Amino acid sequence: MKHLIDIMELSTQELEELIACAEDIIANPAKYAQACRGKKLATLFFEPSTRTRLSFEAAMYELGGQVLGFSEASSSSAAKGESVSDTVHTVSCYADIIAMRHPKEGAPLVASRRNWVPIINAGDGGHYHPTQTLADLLTIHREKGRFTGLTIGLCGDLKFGRTVHSLVSAMSRYEDIRFVFISPEELQVPEYIKTDVLEPRGIPYKEVASLENAMPELDILYMTRVQRERFFNEEDYVRLKDTYILTPDKLRNAKEDLSILHPLPRVNEISVLVDDDPRACYFKQVLNGKYMRMALILKLLEVKV
Ligand code: CP
């Protein structure tokens, strides 16, 4: 049985196949409209979500399947003390596939070990968010037409940002990639990303504090939110939350073909004035996430269309 817990479980060939499938879904939606008829997806969200949960649900509906689940732990028997394992075992009696978000790193991995039904990690704490990476990859592919020869700037909360950790891991497998990590010192990318992912592959990276200075060399700028829910004290969050705010003014030295991505939700880190800039891709990214989740559901359920 296949699960998706970490984006690195998918080979680059499998990523290309998922992208090709998503492109085919975009071009021929009617062909897929009954592909999952009779199948059920459960969305178990122990943490808040708008995009991930609703795009999984929209994805399953557009494949002709059905959806059940909960959107907060307090409305499930987790509130009575039920273990994650018992919850997932129970839901596997009702559903063919499960998308699960949990605040504890590793919870989806633990749930997947019993192999009841395919489990998709929809975000585990500050660890990984592989289906956001699928959305990011389709966006990069559609905007740039390639995954090679890119300088990628990641800005904001690189310590707790699970989307950052998954994207850096995924892009580190391609040729001629450089990373510029833009963050305050307290929110720098974790050591394991540097020592286990980048350095063994000889991938160039630098850590800087100034977004303005980094801007001219970037092909992709991946903005992130400073995540209040991961901080141990409010004072640190308040001090760091507005370190980076992307405004039209700050884009003056950017490349003409820069692509601006953000996994969303945003708080203050991108001014709404940037939304009309043709380089802003974050709402395209939202839509791309639905198509990639459709492709992933088909793959994990082994549905051939
Ligand atoms: N990008 C993302 O995970 O958004 P949600 O928290 O709204 O699902």
Side-chain angles (χ1 to χ4, degrees):
M1 183 171 303
K2 285 205 169 168
H3 308 277
L4 181 62
I5 305 301
D6 173 353
I7 194 70
M8 298 305 268
E9 293 159 359
L10 294 169
S11 66
T12 53
Q13 187 184 330
E14 286 176 305
L15 288 176
E16 279 163 32
E17 287 165 4
L18 285 171
I19 287 171
C21 178
E23 291 288 3
D24 197 48
I25 292 168
I26 293 166
N28 307 291
K31 189 172 134 189
Y32 294 88
Q34 297 299 324
C36 285
R37 196 169 172 183
K39 303 277 187 195
K40 281 176 270 174
L41 164 81
T43 51
L44 310 187
F45 277 61
F46 297 85
E47 248 195 1
S49 167
T50 296
R51 276 146 294 273
T52 311
R53 186 174 65 84
L54 295 181
S55 68
F56 263 117
E57 296 188 1
M60 195 51 161
Y61 284 127
E62 289 185 31
L63 291 168
Q66 292 171 304
V67 172
L68 63 158
F70 54 81
S71 58
E72 50 187 330
S74 62
S75 66
S76 77
S77 286
K80 301 175 198 161
E82 186 168 59
S83 69
V84 170
S85 185
D86 282 359
T87 301
V88 172
H89 193 176
T90 299
V91 174
S92 72
C93 301
Y94 314 138
D96 302 284
I97 185 165
I98 292 174
M100 173 184 169
R101 171 171 289 186
H102 201 282
K104 284 210 175 109
E105 285 87 354
L109 174 66
V110 171
S112 72
R113 288 217 166 114
R114 299 290 295 275
N115 269 343
W116 292 301
V117 294
I119 304 286
I120 301 169
N121 178 4
D124 62 326
H127 197 212
Y128 288 135
H129 193 348
T131 65
Q132 179 62 48
T133 308
L134 295 179
D136 302 342
L137 292 177
L138 180 58
T139 307
I140 293 170
H141 199 260
R142 295 200 113 201
E143 298 302 314
K144 297 289 176 208
R146 65 186 199 279
F147 289 133
T148 55
L150 295 169
T151 298
I152 304 172
L154 298 107
C155 178
D157 181 354
L158 310 186
K159 179 179 181 183
F160 299 115
R162 57 194 175 198
T163 64
V164 168
H165 309 154
S166 288
L167 181 61
V168 171
S169 300
M171 290 303 296
S172 69
R173 294 185 291 190
Y174 296 98
E175 294 292 316
D176 197 16
I177 293 293
R178 295 174 61 242
F179 291 103
V180 182
F181 297 123
I182 308 152
S183 74
E185 203 176 332
E186 296 93 328
L187 297 177
Q188 283 178 345
V189 77
E191 275 307 304
Y192 78 88
I193 294 287
K194 294 182 255 180
T195 56
D196 299 357
V197 178
L198 300 175
E199 286 161 13
R201 295 189 173 95
I203 296 169
Y205 70 88
K206 58 184 176 184
E207 296 181 281
V208 300
S210 165
L211 174 58
E212 288 88 332
N213 290 349
M215 192 68 86
E217 64 180 312
L218 304 181
D219 298 301
I220 293 168
L221 172 59
Y222 195 91
M223 294 295 294
T224 63
R225 172 178 66 98
V226 175
Q227 300 183 62
R228 179 180 224 148
E229 64 273 31
R230 311 266 178 243
F231 275 78
F232 290 110
N233 80 61
E234 180 73 5
E235 213 174 279
D236 285 346
Y237 168 72
V238 169
R239 184 168 51 82
L240 294 169
K241 70 184 172 70
D242 291 330
T243 310
Y244 302 102
I245 301 177
L246 185 64
T247 56
D249 193 45
K250 292 197 180 127
L251 286 166
R252 263 190 316 198
N253 294 328
K255 289 185 181 176
E256 289 283 309
D257 65 346
L258 173 73
S259 298
I260 306 165
L261 277 68
H262 189 312
L264 305 181
R266 74 173 145 190
V267 184
N268 270 337
E269 59 281 358
I270 302 182
S271 158
V272 292
L273 298 174
V274 176
D275 294 1
D276 293 330
D277 189 303
R279 293 169 289 189
C281 298
Y282 28 93
F283 286 103
K284 293 185 201 171
Q285 214 176 333
V286 169
L287 187 56
N288 290 337
K290 182 186 71 173
Y291 294 122
M292 286 302 268
R293 290 180 177 110
M294 289 172 80
L296 179 67
I297 290 168
L298 292 172
K299 179 179 174 62
L300 296 183
L301 289 178
E302 299 181 350
V303 175
K304 301 274 177 255
V305 180

